[in-house]
């Protein structure tokens, strides 16, 4: 694929020679002439108005020429004036003396080690590094006579603060969500897990956007094979821009043509912390509040953080309810079509007579009737999402009520079909994962077609095919249906039900091969009843 780097490259006879490659590298190196460096920066960036270049004299007598380069809007100008400009122009009065005394020492090192009072300072010696730092919000310091410069980290731009999650709301639980700032997101994770084994690896992806990507994992828990696979897939990405984590998700997932996601995403720091403690790997992308988690399993899309914050029997009941709504949202219209079209004898006589009376005068078969109502409801759902929030909810509720009532009174659809589609839609809203809800909505139409063609036999064939497909999926080498298939007894404590906390003492076996026990000793012992 065009967006993946080739593992091995052969020498092309028409490719550039080694001398041309060396010449290209030499052009990328900073020059000793300050004016020549400034000219290259201006020519490369097209003299953009947001790039500020200020030449200043430094030293006791102002004999040394320097240049400060930064991007307006991405750089903290207050720290620039207080810690960089003021230091170079006012505070360092004996710079020439220091240069004479330490003639063997590079002036760049003197500024870096003894003058500038900024935390993160890096030396740069090529224009590629210069432009990457400059366009990321860093301040560049160049000095005449030196083929090196300094990249000073003082990024600052207007950003959204930590707010409540928009898509994964809870009644009980933390009220904080990730933001678009990568460092804020990593800090939120550090706040949850204060462990030195929480490691973070950062790299840039995108030849033009150079988007920062962070791989986060707990070193003494993570599976090394899965971690190496994640690194390999990220390193193979060769694309011009990454604007959202969805780009990364599409490029690293196992089965791109499957309706089921093999990469999980969330905007909640508590979810990421819990998954890291189980041995999963988080992928954070700068510019988006949605964090990717791998490997992703089928059961993961039915779990909610609230399952673990309430009593275990409450979490178990709600999780079982989600599985029930999953089947309801996917199969209810198909079952109604199959029974009313092919298997009327399965219905009680009174209900059959009632349905026949309702369908009297309806010009369409049950399948076409269901398709019309399902498509109309999908249109209303999409319209309510795109409309302004002040009127979006009103349009969805009023629109569904008015259209449903008018369609029944006009004899286009039956009242029972409106009830069936309404139950299906409400059940679909119960899914804690938006991606799984979309998958169910698509599968629903497929099962409706099978039911209209073959009845219950078609639904059975569809379910068997669906189960076989799910069992064939893998996420970074881990079976998608685990711990259901392959069946693992010890991991059933957090599959269909939520066992007591003192019983969930081991991590999932296929995710973490080392340090599987969460904690030993009395901390996970069953609580004893109070003594009388």
């Amino acid at each position: 694929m065009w967006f993946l780097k080739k593992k091995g490259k052969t020498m092309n006879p028409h490719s550039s020679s080694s001398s041309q490659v060396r010449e290209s590298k030499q052009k990328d190196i900073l020059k000793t002439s300050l004016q020549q460096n400034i000219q290259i920066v201006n020519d490369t960036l097209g003299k953009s108005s947001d790039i500020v270049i200020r030449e200043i004299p430094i030293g006791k007598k102002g004999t040394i020429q320097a240049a400060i380069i930064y991007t307006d809007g991405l750089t903290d100008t207050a720290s620039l004036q207080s810690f960089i400009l003021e230091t170079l122009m006012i505070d360092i009065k004996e710079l020439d003396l220091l240069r004479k005394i330490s003639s063997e020492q590079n002036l760049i090192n003197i500024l870096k080690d003894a003058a500038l009072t900024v935390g993160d300072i890096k030396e740069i010696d090529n224009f590629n590094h210069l432009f990457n730092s400059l366009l990321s919000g860093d301040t560049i310091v160049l000095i005449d006579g030196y083929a090196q410069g300094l990249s000073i980290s003082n990024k600052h731009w207007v950003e959204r603060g930590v707010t409540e999650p928009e898509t994964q709301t809870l009644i009980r639980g933390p009220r904080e969500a990730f933001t678009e700032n990568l460092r804020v997101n990593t800090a939120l994770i550090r706040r949850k897990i204060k462990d030195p084994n929480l490691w973070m690896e950062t790299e840039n992806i995108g030849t033009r956007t150079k988007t920062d990507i962070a791989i986060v994992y707990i070193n003494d828990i993570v599976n090394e094979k899965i971690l190496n696979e994640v690194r390999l897939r990220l390193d193979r990405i060769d694309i011009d821009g990454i604007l959202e984590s969805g780009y990364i998700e599409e490029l690293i997932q196992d089965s791109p043509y499957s309706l089921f996601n093999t990469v999980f995403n969330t905007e909640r720091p508590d979810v990421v912390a819990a998954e890291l403690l189980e041995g999963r790997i988080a992928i954070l992308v700068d510019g988006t509040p949605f964090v990717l988690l791998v490997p992703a399993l089928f059961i993961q899309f039915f779990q909610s953080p609230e399952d673990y914050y309430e009593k275990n029997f409450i979490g178990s009941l709600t999780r079982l309810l989600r599985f029930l709504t999953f089947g309801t949202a996917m199969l209810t219209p198909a079952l109604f079509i199959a029974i009313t079209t092919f298997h009327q004898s399965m219905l009680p006589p009174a209900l059959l007579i009632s349905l026949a009376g309702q369908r009297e005068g309806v010009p369409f078969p049950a399948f076409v009737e269901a398709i019309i109502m399902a498509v109309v409801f999908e249109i209303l759902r999409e319209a309510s999402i795109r409309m302004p929030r002040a009127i979006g909810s009103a349009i969805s509720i009023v629109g569904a009520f008015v259209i449903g009532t008018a369609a029944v009174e006009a004899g286009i659809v039956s009242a029972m079909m409106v009830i069936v589609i309404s139950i299906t839609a409400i059940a679909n809203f119960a899914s804690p994962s938006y991606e799984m809800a979309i998958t169910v909505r698509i599968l629903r139409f497929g099962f409706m077609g099978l039911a209209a063609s073959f009845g219950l036999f078609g639904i059975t064939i569809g379910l068997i095919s669906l189960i076989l497909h799910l069992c064939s999926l893998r996420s970074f080498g881990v079976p998608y249906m685990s711990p259901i298939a392959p069946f693992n007894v010890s991991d059933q404590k957090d599959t269909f039900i939520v066992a007591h906390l003192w019983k969930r003492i081991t991590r999932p076996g296929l995710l973490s091969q080392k340090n599987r026990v969460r904690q030993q000793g009395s901390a996970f012992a069953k609580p004893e009843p109070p003594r009388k």
Side-chain angles (χ1 to χ4, degrees):
M1 296 182 182
W2 63 270
F3 47 77
L4 296 180
K5 298 177 183 177
K6 295 182 179 179
K7 294 183 178 179
K9 295 183 180 180
T10 58
M11 182 61 69
N12 190 338
H14 301 287
S15 63
S16 301
S17 62
S18 58
S19 61
Q20 292 175 333
V21 173
R22 288 196 299 268
E23 182 180 353
S24 176
K25 291 182 178 179
Q26 289 177 357
K27 289 182 179 179
D28 188 55
I29 297 175
L30 288 175
K31 316 302 179 184
T32 56
S33 172
L34 178 63
Q35 295 301 323
Q36 191 174 358
N37 288 332
I38 294 176
Q39 185 63 36
I40 293 175
V41 170
N42 282 326
D43 293 342
T44 304
L45 298 177
K47 296 183 179 180
S48 300
S49 58
D50 61 335
I51 304 299
V52 180
I53 301 177
R54 180 177 178 182
E55 298 182 49
I56 59 174
I58 61 176
K60 185 175 182 179
K61 298 180 180 180
T63 57
I64 303 175
Q65 289 294 320
I68 306 295
I69 309 175
Y70 65 94
T71 304
D72 190 18
L74 297 181
T75 303
D76 186 1
T77 55
S79 65
L80 172 66
Q81 296 174 6
S82 301
F83 303 109
I84 301 176
L85 287 175
E86 186 175 345
T87 301
L88 294 177
M89 300 177 67
I90 300 176
D91 294 343
I92 304 178
K93 297 296 185 181
E94 302 296 330
L95 188 58
D96 285 346
L97 180 60
L98 287 174
R99 185 179 182 182
K100 292 178 181 178
I101 295 176
S102 305
S103 58
E104 298 179 357
Q105 188 176 5
N106 193 316
L107 179 58
I108 297 294
N109 293 332
I110 296 177
L111 293 177
K112 177 183 176 183
D113 299 334
L116 295 172
T117 58
V118 181
D120 188 8
I121 303 178
K122 298 178 181 177
E123 292 187 23
I124 56 175
D125 58 2
N126 60 78
F127 284 101
N128 186 29
H129 191 182
L130 184 148
F131 289 124
N132 189 20
S133 300
L134 176 63
L135 299 177
S136 298
D138 295 339
T139 298
I140 306 299
V141 177
L142 300 177
I143 299 176
D144 190 27
Y146 291 87
Q148 298 91 23
L150 294 177
S151 173
I152 304 172
S153 179
N154 59 336
K155 305 179 182 69
H156 178 75
W157 52 79
V158 178
E159 60 186 27
R160 183 174 63 93
V162 178
T163 58
E164 292 190 22
E166 295 288 339
T167 59
Q168 299 172 335
T169 58
L170 301 178
I171 296 177
R172 179 176 180 177
R175 294 291 191 269
E176 57 186 8
F178 289 117
T179 69
E180 287 75 16
N181 189 306
L182 179 64
R183 281 297 157 235
V184 172
N185 294 342
T186 56
L188 290 173
I189 298 176
R190 284 284 186 191
R191 183 184 174 189
K192 298 287 184 183
I193 305 177
K194 305 176 182 68
D195 186 357
N197 286 301
L198 179 64
W199 290 9
M200 299 182 183
E201 302 176 6
T202 304
E203 60 178 287
N204 293 329
I205 298 181
T207 56
R208 295 188 182 275
T209 60
K210 292 181 172 57
T211 307
D212 290 328
I213 309 293
I215 306 173
V216 184
Y217 57 92
I218 300 180
N219 184 51
D220 59 344
I221 297 178
V222 70
N223 190 321
E224 291 293 337
K225 293 182 179 179
I226 299 176
L227 179 60
N228 292 332
E229 182 66 22
V230 172
R231 291 170 177 161
L232 176 63
R233 296 189 188 187
L234 289 177
D235 291 340
R236 291 184 60 198
I237 296 177
D238 187 8
I239 193 172
D240 60 345
I242 298 293
L243 302 179
E244 213 274 338
S245 59
Y247 286 49
I248 300 293
E249 179 180 351
E250 185 175 356
L251 297 177
I252 67 173
Q253 61 183 340
D254 288 74
S255 302
Y257 297 105
S258 176
L259 292 177
F260 293 89
N261 284 22
T262 54
V263 178
F264 189 79
N265 69 81
T266 180
E267 60 174 340
R268 298 188 61 90
D270 57 332
V271 173
V272 174
E275 301 297 352
L276 290 175
L277 292 172
E278 286 194 347
R280 287 184 172 87
I281 302 168
I283 303 174
L284 284 70
V285 181
D286 190 29
T288 175
F290 289 93
V291 175
L292 305 180
L293 289 166
V294 294
L297 307 180
F298 178 76
I299 186 65
Q300 192 175 353
F301 294 89
F302 295 88
Q303 296 173 343
S304 173
E306 205 167 15
D307 296 347
Y308 310 97
Y309 304 151
E310 299 283 357
K311 288 183 176 296
N312 69 298
F313 66 86
I314 297 177
S316 300
L317 289 176
T318 54
R319 185 172 297 180
L320 291 173
L321 183 63
R322 293 187 200 110
F323 281 101
L324 177 62
T325 56
F326 172 78
T328 301
M330 184 171 58
L331 298 177
T332 300
L335 290 173
F336 181 80
I337 293 171
I339 292 175
T340 56
T341 305
F342 295 97
H343 312 283
Q344 297 91 343
S345 59
M346 297 178 61
L347 297 174
L351 180 58
L352 181 60
I353 294 172
S354 175
L355 291 177
Q358 293 178 18
R359 291 193 50 78
E360 186 178 358
V362 176
F364 304 111
F367 173 67
V368 177
E369 188 181 356
I371 289 292
I372 292 174
M373 290 302 301
V375 170
V376 169
F377 192 86
E378 293 299 328
I379 294 174
L380 285 173
R381 185 205 303 264
E382 191 67 18
S384 64
I385 295 175
R386 308 304 167 193
M387 292 294 291
R389 293 184 178 181
I391 60 176
S393 59
I395 287 179
S396 61
I397 297 173
V398 175
F401 177 76
V402 172
I403 291 177
T405 304
V408 172
E409 293 180 353
I412 299 177
V413 296
S414 63
M416 182 57 71
M417 183 59 72
V418 174
I419 296 174
V420 169
I421 297 299
S422 300
I423 293 174
T424 302
I426 294 173
N428 193 243
F429 286 130
S431 174
S433 171
Y434 181 71
E435 287 74 19
M436 184 59 71
I438 295 178
T439 300
V440 171
R441 286 156 57 184
I442 298 174
L443 290 174
R444 182 192 309 155
F445 288 95
F447 277 102
M448 287 165 60
L450 291 174
S453 303
F454 307 104
L456 293 178
F457 177 75
I459 296 176
T460 304
I461 295 299
L463 285 174
I464 294 174
S465 302
L466 179 62
I467 294 173
L468 291 176
H469 172 68
L470 289 172
C471 292
S472 67
L473 293 178
R474 286 181 173 268
S475 178
F476 289 82
V478 180
Y480 191 62
M481 289 300 292
S482 62
I484 303 173
F487 188 78
N488 190 325
V489 178
S490 62
D491 291 344
Q492 298 304 314
K493 300 170 184 177
D494 193 20
T495 304
F496 295 103
I497 62 171
V498 183
H500 289 286
L501 186 60
W502 63 82
K503 293 183 179 180
R504 305 195 308 269
I505 61 174
T506 57
R507 296 183 176 89
L510 292 177
L511 296 180
S512 178
Q513 303 294 332
K514 54 185 180 180
N515 198 2
R516 286 202 59 198
V517 179
R518 296 179 185 269
Q519 185 173 350
Q520 296 180 357
S522 59
F524 274 90
K526 182 178 179 180
E528 297 181 358
R531 296 180 180 178
K532 296 182 180 180

